[in-house]
Amino acid sequence: MKSTILRSAVGTVLAVAAAAVCLPASSAAAAPRTAGVDQATTQTFGRTADAVLTQRTAALLDNRSGRIAPLPRKQVRLSARLARAENAGVSSLRARKQRLAGLGEAYTAADTQVTVDSTRLTGRHATVEVTESTTLTYKKIRGDEPATTGFKARHELDFTAVPGGTWELTGITSKDDGPGAINAPTLRAAVADAADTTPSAPPADTSRPWRAYPRKQLTGGYDYAAMAAYSEKYWRNYNPEYRAFNAAGGDCTNFLSQALKAGGWKTEGGASSDYRTWWYDAAHQSDSWVGANEWSWYALNSKRVTSLSNVYQMDVGDVMQMDFDGDGSKDHSMMTTYRSSYGVPYLTYHSTNTYRKSVASIIASYPDAVYYAYRT
Protein backbone atom coordinates (compact mmCIF):
# COMPACT_ATOMS: atom_id res chain seq x y z
CA MET A 1 0.00 0.00 0.00
CA LYS A 2 1.28 3.44 -0.84
CA SER A 3 2.07 5.47 2.27
CA THR A 4 -0.07 8.49 3.10
CA ILE A 5 1.81 11.46 4.60
CA LEU A 6 0.14 14.28 6.52
CA ARG A 7 1.68 17.33 8.13
CA SER A 8 0.55 19.68 10.89
CA ALA A 9 2.14 22.63 12.63
CA VAL A 10 1.39 23.88 16.11
CA GLY A 11 2.52 27.18 17.48
CA THR A 12 0.19 30.10 17.20
CA VAL A 13 -3.13 28.35 16.59
CA LEU A 14 -4.00 25.19 18.47
CA ALA A 15 -7.14 24.76 16.38
CA VAL A 16 -4.96 23.29 13.64
CA ALA A 17 -4.88 20.02 15.56
CA ALA A 18 -8.63 19.82 15.70
CA ALA A 19 -9.12 20.90 12.11
CA ALA A 20 -6.87 18.11 10.92
CA VAL A 21 -9.68 15.60 11.41
CA CYS A 22 -12.38 17.58 9.57
CA LEU A 23 -12.40 15.27 6.56
CA PRO A 24 -14.51 14.57 3.55
CA ALA A 25 -16.90 11.69 4.18
CA SER A 26 -14.87 8.53 4.64
CA SER A 27 -15.81 5.01 3.69
CA ALA A 28 -16.17 3.90 7.31
CA ALA A 29 -19.61 2.43 6.58
CA ALA A 30 -18.09 0.11 4.03
CA ALA A 31 -15.07 -0.64 6.15
CA PRO A 32 -15.79 -4.20 7.30
CA ARG A 33 -13.84 -5.67 4.39
CA THR A 34 -11.26 -8.36 4.91
CA ALA A 35 -8.86 -6.96 2.32
CA GLY A 36 -8.01 -3.48 1.10
CA VAL A 37 -8.60 0.01 2.40
CA ASP A 38 -9.68 2.87 0.16
CA GLN A 39 -7.81 6.16 0.09
CA ALA A 40 -10.45 8.17 1.96
CA THR A 41 -10.39 5.73 4.89
CA THR A 42 -6.60 5.74 4.93
CA GLN A 43 -6.64 9.54 5.09
CA THR A 44 -9.16 9.41 7.92
CA PHE A 45 -6.87 7.17 9.95
CA GLY A 46 -3.78 9.25 9.19
CA ARG A 47 -5.39 12.58 10.01
CA THR A 48 -6.81 11.21 13.23
CA ALA A 49 -3.34 10.13 14.34
CA ASP A 50 -1.99 13.50 13.24
CA ALA A 51 -4.59 15.36 15.31
CA VAL A 52 -4.08 13.34 18.50
CA LEU A 53 -0.29 13.55 18.34
CA THR A 54 -0.33 17.25 17.45
CA GLN A 55 -2.64 17.95 20.40
CA ARG A 56 -0.20 16.23 22.73
CA THR A 57 2.67 18.35 21.43
CA ALA A 58 0.65 21.56 21.65
CA ALA A 59 0.28 21.04 25.40
CA LEU A 60 4.05 21.51 25.73
CA LEU A 61 4.23 24.88 23.96
CA ASP A 62 4.72 27.94 26.13
CA ASN A 63 2.74 30.42 24.04
CA ARG A 64 -0.70 29.06 24.92
CA SER A 65 -2.56 28.13 28.09
CA GLY A 66 -2.67 24.50 26.98
CA ARG A 67 -6.44 24.42 26.29
CA ILE A 68 -7.01 22.29 23.21
CA ALA A 69 -10.23 22.03 21.24
CA PRO A 70 -11.87 18.58 21.28
CA LEU A 71 -11.70 16.36 18.23
CA PRO A 72 -14.73 16.54 15.92
CA ARG A 73 -16.97 13.47 15.94
CA LYS A 74 -18.14 13.27 12.33
CA GLN A 75 -15.87 10.71 10.70
CA VAL A 76 -13.89 9.58 13.74
CA ARG A 77 -14.48 9.78 17.47
CA LEU A 78 -12.47 8.68 20.45
CA SER A 79 -13.89 5.96 22.66
CA ALA A 80 -14.91 7.18 26.12
CA ARG A 81 -12.01 5.31 27.72
CA LEU A 82 -9.43 6.69 25.31
CA ALA A 83 -10.84 10.22 25.58
CA ARG A 84 -10.33 10.06 29.36
CA ALA A 85 -6.82 8.73 28.89
CA GLU A 86 -5.92 11.47 26.40
CA ASN A 87 -7.33 14.19 28.65
CA ALA A 88 -5.24 12.85 31.53
CA GLY A 89 -2.23 12.64 29.23
CA VAL A 90 -2.58 16.25 28.10
CA SER A 91 -2.81 17.29 31.75
CA SER A 92 0.43 15.44 32.49
CA LEU A 93 2.10 17.21 29.58
CA ARG A 94 1.01 20.60 30.87
CA ALA A 95 2.54 19.68 34.23
CA ARG A 96 5.72 18.64 32.43
CA LYS A 97 5.78 22.01 30.67
CA GLN A 98 5.76 23.69 34.07
CA ARG A 99 8.58 21.46 35.32
CA LEU A 100 10.58 22.32 32.23
CA ALA A 101 9.96 26.04 32.73
CA GLY A 102 11.42 25.69 36.21
CA LEU A 103 14.50 24.10 34.64
CA GLY A 104 14.86 26.95 32.16
CA GLU A 105 13.50 25.27 29.05
CA ALA A 106 10.51 25.95 26.80
CA TYR A 107 9.31 25.30 23.24
CA THR A 108 7.77 27.97 21.03
CA ALA A 109 6.49 25.95 18.06
CA ALA A 110 6.29 22.45 16.65
CA ASP A 111 5.87 20.72 13.31
CA THR A 112 4.50 17.18 12.96
CA GLN A 113 4.46 14.84 9.98
CA VAL A 114 2.51 11.57 10.15
CA THR A 115 2.96 8.73 7.69
CA VAL A 116 0.50 5.85 7.47
CA ASP A 117 2.72 2.78 7.08
CA SER A 118 0.16 -0.02 7.00
CA THR A 119 -3.49 -0.85 7.69
CA ARG A 120 -4.91 -4.26 8.58
CA LEU A 121 -8.66 -4.93 8.53
CA THR A 122 -10.27 -7.78 10.46
CA GLY A 123 -14.04 -7.63 10.31
CA ARG A 124 -15.03 -4.24 11.71
CA HIS A 125 -11.63 -3.63 13.30
CA ALA A 126 -8.63 -1.85 11.79
CA THR A 127 -5.05 -1.80 13.08
CA VAL A 128 -3.08 1.11 11.69
CA GLU A 129 0.70 1.55 11.93
CA VAL A 130 1.93 5.15 11.64
CA THR A 131 5.25 6.96 11.96
CA GLU A 132 5.34 10.39 13.60
CA SER A 133 8.18 12.84 12.87
CA THR A 134 8.03 15.91 15.09
CA THR A 135 10.37 18.89 15.43
CA LEU A 136 10.05 21.38 18.30
CA THR A 137 11.66 24.82 18.38
CA TYR A 138 13.52 25.75 21.55
CA LYS A 139 12.67 29.11 23.08
CA LYS A 140 15.78 31.28 23.34
CA ILE A 141 15.75 31.80 27.09
CA ARG A 142 19.53 32.01 27.61
CA GLY A 143 20.31 32.39 23.92
CA ASP A 144 22.61 29.41 23.53
CA GLU A 145 20.02 26.66 23.08
CA PRO A 146 20.14 24.69 19.82
CA ALA A 147 17.53 25.65 17.27
CA THR A 148 15.41 22.52 17.51
CA THR A 149 14.90 19.09 19.00
CA GLY A 150 13.15 16.31 17.17
CA PHE A 151 12.12 12.67 17.23
CA LYS A 152 10.74 9.93 15.04
CA ALA A 153 8.28 7.56 16.73
CA ARG A 154 6.13 4.62 15.69
CA HIS A 155 2.55 4.15 16.90
CA GLU A 156 -0.18 1.54 16.51
CA LEU A 157 -3.80 2.74 16.44
CA ASP A 158 -6.86 0.54 16.88
CA PHE A 159 -10.15 1.55 15.22
CA THR A 160 -13.62 -0.01 15.25
CA ALA A 161 -16.32 0.75 12.68
CA VAL A 162 -19.56 1.75 14.44
CA PRO A 163 -23.08 2.29 13.06
CA GLY A 164 -23.66 5.49 11.15
CA GLY A 165 -20.52 5.38 9.05
CA THR A 166 -18.16 6.42 11.86
CA TRP A 167 -14.90 4.98 13.12
CA GLU A 168 -14.08 4.89 16.83
CA LEU A 169 -10.46 5.14 17.91
CA THR A 170 -10.08 2.80 20.88
CA GLY A 171 -6.34 2.75 21.47
CA ILE A 172 -2.98 4.23 20.53
CA THR A 173 0.19 2.44 21.57
CA SER A 174 3.87 3.28 21.19
CA LYS A 175 5.87 0.70 19.24
CA ASP A 176 9.28 1.95 20.39
CA ASP A 177 11.48 0.88 23.28
CA GLY A 178 13.40 3.27 25.51
CA PRO A 179 12.25 6.68 26.77
CA GLY A 180 9.00 7.92 25.35
CA ALA A 181 8.92 10.69 22.79
CA ILE A 182 8.97 14.28 24.05
CA ASN A 183 5.17 14.42 23.74
CA ALA A 184 4.51 10.98 25.24
CA PRO A 185 1.99 11.57 28.05
CA THR A 186 2.46 8.39 30.02
CA LEU A 187 5.48 6.88 31.74
CA ARG A 188 5.95 3.16 31.43
CA ALA A 189 8.75 1.34 33.16
CA ALA A 190 10.77 -0.97 30.99
CA VAL A 191 11.14 -4.58 32.08
CA ALA A 192 14.80 -5.29 32.76
CA ASP A 193 16.89 -8.28 33.72
CA ALA A 194 18.15 -8.70 37.25
CA ALA A 195 21.33 -6.80 38.07
CA ASP A 196 24.60 -8.72 37.87
CA THR A 197 27.71 -8.74 40.04
CA THR A 198 29.91 -6.96 37.49
CA PRO A 199 31.57 -3.49 37.30
CA SER A 200 29.03 -1.11 38.79
CA ALA A 201 28.46 2.53 37.83
CA PRO A 202 27.33 4.86 40.65
CA PRO A 203 24.10 6.78 40.04
CA ALA A 204 24.55 10.40 38.95
CA ASP A 205 22.94 13.39 40.64
CA THR A 206 20.32 15.19 38.53
CA SER A 207 20.17 18.51 40.40
CA ARG A 208 20.96 21.49 38.23
CA PRO A 209 24.04 23.48 39.33
CA TRP A 210 24.04 27.25 39.77
CA ARG A 211 26.87 27.55 37.30
CA ALA A 212 28.06 25.41 34.43
CA TYR A 213 30.59 22.68 35.11
CA PRO A 214 33.91 23.12 33.27
CA ARG A 215 34.04 21.65 29.80
CA LYS A 216 35.72 18.26 29.44
CA GLN A 217 39.43 18.06 28.82
CA LEU A 218 40.07 16.42 25.44
CA THR A 219 42.73 14.00 26.64
CA GLY A 220 41.23 10.64 25.67
CA GLY A 221 42.58 10.61 22.13
CA TYR A 222 39.09 10.28 20.72
CA ASP A 223 37.27 12.44 18.19
CA TYR A 224 34.23 13.58 20.16
CA ALA A 225 33.02 15.83 17.36
CA ALA A 226 32.96 12.78 15.07
CA MET A 227 30.88 10.86 17.62
CA ALA A 228 28.33 13.67 17.76
CA ALA A 229 28.33 14.13 13.99
CA TYR A 230 27.66 10.43 13.47
CA SER A 231 24.77 10.42 15.95
CA GLU A 232 23.19 13.51 14.42
CA LYS A 233 23.57 12.11 10.90
CA TYR A 234 21.91 8.76 11.61
CA TRP A 235 19.43 9.48 14.40
CA ARG A 236 16.51 9.44 11.95
CA ASN A 237 17.79 7.51 8.92
CA TYR A 238 19.75 4.46 10.05
CA ASN A 239 23.21 3.62 8.69
CA PRO A 240 22.62 0.70 6.31
CA GLU A 241 26.04 -0.74 7.15
CA TYR A 242 24.72 -1.85 10.55
CA ARG A 243 21.88 -4.10 11.63
CA ALA A 244 19.05 -2.51 13.61
CA PHE A 245 17.76 -4.05 16.86
CA ASN A 246 14.46 -2.21 17.35
CA ALA A 247 12.55 -5.49 17.31
CA ALA A 248 15.03 -7.19 19.65
CA GLY A 249 14.86 -5.03 22.76
CA GLY A 250 15.77 -1.64 21.27
CA ASP A 251 18.50 -0.09 19.14
CA CYS A 252 19.85 2.47 21.62
CA THR A 253 23.11 0.79 22.67
CA ASN A 254 23.82 -0.50 19.17
CA PHE A 255 23.55 3.10 17.94
CA LEU A 256 25.73 4.35 20.80
CA SER A 257 28.40 1.78 19.95
CA GLN A 258 28.40 2.87 16.32
CA ALA A 259 28.98 6.49 17.33
CA LEU A 260 31.79 5.56 19.72
CA LYS A 261 33.48 3.52 16.99
CA ALA A 262 33.13 6.48 14.61
CA GLY A 263 34.98 8.57 17.21
CA GLY A 264 37.91 6.20 17.61
CA TRP A 265 36.92 3.38 19.97
CA LYS A 266 38.70 0.19 18.83
CA THR A 267 36.96 -3.15 18.91
CA GLU A 268 38.14 -5.99 21.16
CA GLY A 269 37.46 -9.57 20.07
CA GLY A 270 36.45 -12.58 22.10
CA ALA A 271 33.36 -14.50 23.14
CA SER A 272 30.17 -12.57 22.47
CA SER A 273 28.92 -13.17 26.02
CA ASP A 274 32.13 -11.94 27.67
CA TYR A 275 31.53 -8.35 28.80
CA ARG A 276 35.26 -7.70 28.46
CA THR A 277 34.88 -7.82 24.67
CA TRP A 278 33.28 -5.23 22.37
CA TRP A 279 32.91 -5.93 18.65
CA TYR A 280 30.59 -6.10 15.64
CA ASP A 281 30.91 -8.01 12.35
CA ALA A 282 28.80 -8.92 9.35
CA ALA A 283 26.98 -11.72 11.16
CA HIS A 284 27.23 -11.23 14.92
CA GLN A 285 28.20 -8.81 17.68
CA SER A 286 29.24 -8.90 21.31
CA ASP A 287 26.57 -8.52 23.97
CA SER A 288 28.35 -5.34 25.09
CA TRP A 289 27.77 -3.81 21.65
CA VAL A 290 23.98 -3.96 21.98
CA GLY A 291 23.16 -4.43 25.68
CA ALA A 292 22.88 -1.44 28.03
CA ASN A 293 24.17 -3.27 31.11
CA GLU A 294 26.83 -5.14 29.17
CA TRP A 295 28.07 -1.92 27.57
CA SER A 296 28.43 -0.31 31.00
CA TRP A 297 30.36 -3.29 32.34
CA TYR A 298 32.68 -3.28 29.33
CA ALA A 299 33.22 0.48 29.31
CA LEU A 300 34.08 0.61 33.02
CA ASN A 301 36.26 -2.52 32.99
CA SER A 302 38.21 -1.31 29.93
CA LYS A 303 38.79 2.11 31.54
CA ARG A 304 37.40 3.79 28.43
CA VAL A 305 34.97 5.73 30.60
CA THR A 306 34.82 7.19 34.08
CA SER A 307 31.63 7.83 36.00
CA LEU A 308 30.41 11.39 36.46
CA SER A 309 28.76 12.49 39.69
CA ASN A 310 26.18 14.76 38.01
CA VAL A 311 24.46 14.50 34.62
CA TYR A 312 25.12 18.20 33.98
CA GLN A 313 28.86 17.44 33.86
CA MET A 314 28.39 15.68 30.53
CA ASP A 315 29.93 17.16 27.41
CA VAL A 316 29.92 16.20 23.71
CA GLY A 317 30.63 12.48 23.30
CA ASP A 318 29.71 11.61 26.89
CA VAL A 319 27.08 8.97 27.65
CA MET A 320 23.99 8.83 29.85
CA GLN A 321 22.08 5.69 30.78
CA MET A 322 18.73 5.29 32.54
CA ASP A 323 17.17 2.74 34.85
CA PHE A 324 13.47 3.49 34.47
CA ASP A 325 12.12 1.49 37.39
CA GLY A 326 15.08 1.66 39.77
CA ASP A 327 15.67 -2.09 39.88
CA GLY A 328 19.43 -1.72 39.33
CA SER A 329 19.37 -2.76 35.68
CA LYS A 330 20.05 -0.13 33.03
CA ASP A 331 17.40 0.14 30.33
CA HIS A 332 18.55 2.84 27.91
CA SER A 333 21.71 4.45 26.49
CA MET A 334 22.21 7.81 24.77
CA MET A 335 24.98 10.20 23.74
CA THR A 336 25.52 13.90 24.36
CA THR A 337 25.81 15.62 20.98
CA TYR A 338 25.51 19.27 22.02
CA ARG A 339 26.29 21.26 25.17
CA SER A 340 25.14 24.83 25.62
CA SER A 341 27.50 27.45 26.99
CA TYR A 342 25.29 27.51 30.07
CA GLY A 343 26.16 23.86 30.65
CA VAL A 344 23.04 21.99 29.54
CA PRO A 345 23.75 18.66 27.75
CA TYR A 346 21.50 17.69 24.83
CA LEU A 347 21.24 14.01 23.91
CA THR A 348 20.61 12.14 20.66
CA TYR A 349 19.59 8.48 20.52
CA HIS A 350 17.58 5.66 18.99
CA SER A 351 14.41 4.06 20.39
CA THR A 352 12.56 6.47 20.36
CA ASN A 353 14.68 8.11 17.64
CA THR A 354 15.43 11.54 19.09
CA TYR A 355 17.61 14.54 18.22
CA ARG A 356 19.09 16.94 20.79
CA LYS A 357 16.71 16.36 23.68
CA SER A 358 17.91 18.25 26.74
CA VAL A 359 18.80 16.39 29.91
CA ALA A 360 16.33 18.70 31.67
CA SER A 361 13.50 17.45 29.46
CA ILE A 362 14.44 13.82 30.08
CA ILE A 363 14.55 14.31 33.86
CA ALA A 364 11.25 16.21 33.82
CA SER A 365 9.65 13.30 31.96
CA TYR A 366 11.15 10.60 34.20
CA PRO A 367 11.73 12.19 37.62
CA ASP A 368 11.82 8.82 39.41
CA ALA A 369 14.33 7.10 37.12
CA VAL A 370 17.94 6.43 38.12
CA TYR A 371 20.55 8.09 35.90
CA TYR A 372 24.16 7.15 35.12
CA ALA A 373 26.63 9.50 33.43
CA TYR A 374 29.97 8.58 31.86
CA ARG A 375 32.93 10.62 30.64
CA THR A 376 34.25 8.97 27.46
Side-chain angles (χ1 to χ4, degrees):
M1 183 188 74
K2 184 177 180 181
S3 294
T4 298
I5 300 175
L6 303 111
R7 179 184 292 275
S8 288
V10 291
T12 57
V13 182
L14 295 184
V16 170
V21 189
C22 294
L23 306 173
S26 75
S27 59
R33 294 184 294 175
T34 57
V37 180
D38 63 33
Q39 186 65 22
T41 304
T42 300
Q43 290 179 350
T44 299
F45 293 153
R47 292 180 183 176
T48 301
D50 179 85
V52 172
L53 297 171
T54 301
Q55 285 189 339
R56 292 179 179 181
T57 303
L60 292 170
L61 302 184
D62 78 328
N63 56 352
R64 292 283 166 175
S65 64
R67 183 179 183 277
I68 301 172
L71 293 173
R73 294 175 175 266
K74 294 182 179 179
Q75 285 77 39
V76 176
R77 70 191 187 200
L78 270 60
S79 69
R81 182 192 60 81
L82 184 61
R84 289 193 298 270
E86 285 299 313
N87 287 337
V90 168
S91 294
S92 75
L93 290 166
R94 292 175 190 150
R96 186 182 305 169
K97 177 175 67 173
Q98 296 304 315
R99 292 197 298 271
L100 279 171
L103 293 168
E105 179 167 310
Y107 312 116
T108 60
D111 180 77
T112 292
Q113 179 175 299
V114 172
T115 302
V116 178
D117 301 318
S118 66
T119 301
R120 302 189 304 275
L121 281 175
T122 305
R124 302 185 66 83
H125 302 282
T127 301
V128 183
E129 304 278 350
V130 304
T131 298
E132 171 196 6
S133 296
T134 291
T135 301
L136 294 99
T137 301
Y138 282 112
K139 184 177 182 178
K140 294 297 183 180
I141 296 175
R142 296 178 302 274
D144 61 354
E145 294 88 350
T148 61
T149 181
F151 64 88
K152 188 174 183 180
R154 298 173 301 133
H155 307 277
E156 182 177 281
L157 287 78
D158 296 312
F159 293 88
T160 299
V162 296
T166 301
W167 286 97
E168 186 172 77
L169 176 61
T170 59
I172 178 167
T173 306
S174 171
K175 301 298 289 182
D176 293 307
D177 297 305
I182 295 169
N183 65 353
T186 56
L187 309 180
R188 298 184 179 182
V191 178
D193 297 329
D196 201 351
T197 55
T198 40
S200 178
D205 185 17
T206 59
S207 60
R208 188 161 183 168
W210 287 103
R211 65 178 68 183
Y213 285 103
R215 302 197 74 94
K216 72 191 291 185
Q217 298 296 312
L218 306 182
T219 58
Y222 301 120
D223 188 341
Y224 301 107
M227 295 177 185
Y230 183 95
S231 297
E232 295 195 347
K233 179 178 180 180
Y234 292 111
W235 75 270
R236 185 200 304 266
N237 300 311
Y238 289 27
N239 185 346
E241 295 182 2
Y242 290 95
R243 295 181 293 279
F245 293 84
N246 302 85
D251 198 60
C252 60
T253 308
N254 174 48
F255 184 50
L256 171 67
S257 292
Q258 294 171 33
L260 291 168
K261 187 173 185 294
W265 276 35
K266 304 300 182 183
T267 58
E268 290 190 73
S272 61
S273 60
D274 187 343
Y275 71 82
R276 293 166 297 184
T277 70
W278 183 76
W279 54 269
Y280 178 100
D281 63 27
H284 303 286
Q285 67 285 322
S286 66
D287 293 349
S288 61
W289 184 277
V290 295
N293 284 305
E294 291 83 354
W295 178 88
S296 177
W297 301 336
Y298 168 79
L300 289 167
N301 183 74
S302 65
K303 310 299 183 185
R304 293 188 179 183
V305 303
T306 56
S307 294
L308 296 172
S309 61
N310 188 294
V311 295
Y312 283 93
Q313 291 176 287
M314 293 189 299
D315 207 331
V316 172
D318 291 339
V319 173
M320 188 169 81
Q321 293 188 306
M322 296 174 63
D323 172 6
F324 293 118
D325 52 8
D327 69 349
S329 182
K330 301 168 187 67
D331 304 309
H332 183 61
S333 307
M334 58 202 99
M335 175 172 282
T336 306
T337 60
Y338 177 83
R339 184 180 188 260
S340 73
S341 59
Y342 193 72
V344 178
Y346 293 77
L347 296 112
T348 299
Y349 51 89
H350 278 181
S351 306
T352 300
N353 303 338
T354 297
Y355 169 78
R356 289 192 180 184
K357 186 174 184 179
S358 75
V359 70
S361 177
I362 294 170
I363 294 168
S365 299
Y366 293 87
D368 297 324
V370 179
Y371 295 83
Y372 301 85
Y374 307 83
R375 168 65 36 83
T376 58

